[in-house]
Amino acid sequence: MSLEFTSSEMMSVTAARALTSDMTCFVGIGLPSEAANLARLTHAPDVTLIYESGTLQTKPDVLPLSIGDGELCESALTTVAVPEMFRYWLQGGHISVGFLGTAQIDRYANLNTTLIGDYREPKVRLPGGGGAPEIATNAKEVFITVKHSKRTFVRDVDFVTTVGFGRDGKARDNVPNIGRGPTVVITDLCILKPDPDSKELVVTSLHPNVTREEVIDATGWEIRFADKLETTPEPSAKELEVLRDLKARTNAHHAGQQ
């Protein structure tokens, strides 16, 4: 019997499945944190989660509101200084995957978390890059999870906060000592991966009950689909149970702090 699940749950479960126990993951707040901790609580119990505030092998019981959330330090194996986090762990090549979210993403997987509109007169100012530019540069690869809409999936980001493959798809060509960049983008509609040659994002898998037309309508450029388009496996009962329990614990915990 098919289980009932939301598109957001489908996204988080699919993103979680991208992680394995042998990975060291530099986790972004929000959707990446949800997916990473779901992975830790299900199929990847030995995944090492690292947050920007310096927490190593973090095992939060509830999802953090920010990198400064005390839950991260309290549940970590240890906490190091932020300079050590970046200079030794990240720049030293010890991070296998960076897991990021974004406000805007374009066809070459460039991320914008700086502003919407013209740089000199922006319509909206966003939180900024934080550690994302360094994570995308130095992690061996980058996973991105974000909800799919034309507001988010734009042909060209208004500002390149974090480089995917540059404005022309060639920013990482022949550049030594940096990672592979984005290898997968997971949304509430589908999975996208960069074309091996052009680096433009291509849909490789549609989530259950999602049509090509829905993805086209939610994307700000003429999106391409893989020749062998797959269907993403549905969440299992266990994955949904653990995810829902995690979110319920998180909501109750943060509501009690207000």
Side-chain angles (χ1 to χ4, degrees):
M1 183 177 67
S2 181
L3 298 170
E4 291 187 4
F5 52 87
T6 66
S7 59
S8 293
E9 289 174 333
M10 183 74 220
M11 173 175 56
S12 292
V13 167
T14 304
R17 290 172 177 164
L19 293 175
T20 58
S21 274
D22 60 348
M23 288 179 170
T24 299
C25 179
F26 208 126
V27 189
I29 294 297
L31 293 174
S33 183
E34 182 176 308
N37 282 285
L38 176 59
R40 178 179 62 82
L41 294 168
T42 51
H43 67 279
D46 295 325
V47 65
T48 299
L49 303 186
I50 294 177
Y51 286 78
E52 189 178 329
S53 49
T55 58
L56 302 178
Q57 203 167 317
T58 318
K59 298 180 179 181
D61 186 56
V62 299
L63 298 175
L65 290 173
S66 71
I67 60 167
D69 195 316
E71 177 70 19
L72 294 177
C73 280
E74 291 171 7
S75 63
L77 176 66
T78 189
T79 302
V80 300
V82 172
E84 179 180 336
M85 169 65 64
F86 281 88
R87 296 179 70 177
Y88 174 77
W89 287 94
L90 187 57
Q91 295 174 351
H94 300 288
I95 304 298
S96 48
V97 58
F99 214 146
L100 302 175
T102 189
Q104 277 188 336
I105 182 171
D106 65 20
R107 63 195 191 281
Y108 293 121
N110 299 301
L111 309 182
N112 173 22
T113 53
T114 300
L115 56 85
I116 303 298
D118 182 81
Y119 183 79
R120 294 167 185 80
E121 295 183 5
K123 297 177 183 177
V124 178
R125 287 197 180 277
L126 301 171
E134 288 77 16
I135 293 169
T137 300
N138 295 284
K140 293 177 182 177
E141 61 180 319
V142 176
F143 299 164
I144 299 162
T145 186
V146 63
K147 291 192 174 183
H148 210 132
S149 71
K150 276 191 173 176
R151 185 172 67 175
T152 301
F153 280 72
V154 297
R155 180 176 177 81
D156 298 293
V157 291
D158 293 341
F159 185 91
V160 179
T161 310
T162 303
V163 174
F165 297 100
R167 295 288 193 184
D168 58 0
K170 299 178 180 179
R172 293 179 185 267
D173 291 359
N174 303 314
V175 180
N177 303 321
I178 66 171
R180 294 164 58 197
T183 55
V184 64
V185 179
I186 299 161
T187 80
D188 49 345
L189 300 180
C190 63
I191 299 172
L192 306 97
K193 294 182 179 180
D195 179 271
D197 298 318
S198 70
K199 303 305 182 184
E200 184 171 323
L201 292 175
V202 176
V203 179
T204 59
S205 182
L206 291 176
H207 296 338
N209 304 315
V210 174
T211 65
R212 290 179 182 235
E213 288 70 28
E214 287 178 287
V215 175
I216 291 170
D217 290 344
T219 307
W221 70 88
E222 193 172 334
I223 190 70
R224 292 167 48 207
F225 294 82
D227 294 335
K228 293 183 179 179
L229 190 61
E230 299 179 352
T231 299
T232 313
E234 293 186 0
S236 68
K238 180 65 174 178
E239 288 169 326
L240 290 173
E241 177 188 355
V242 173
L243 175 59
R244 289 168 182 173
D245 185 57
L246 173 63
K247 295 187 76 171
R249 278 201 314 274
T250 298
N251 292 337
H253 174 80
H254 293 314
Q257 290 185 329
Q258 291 179 357

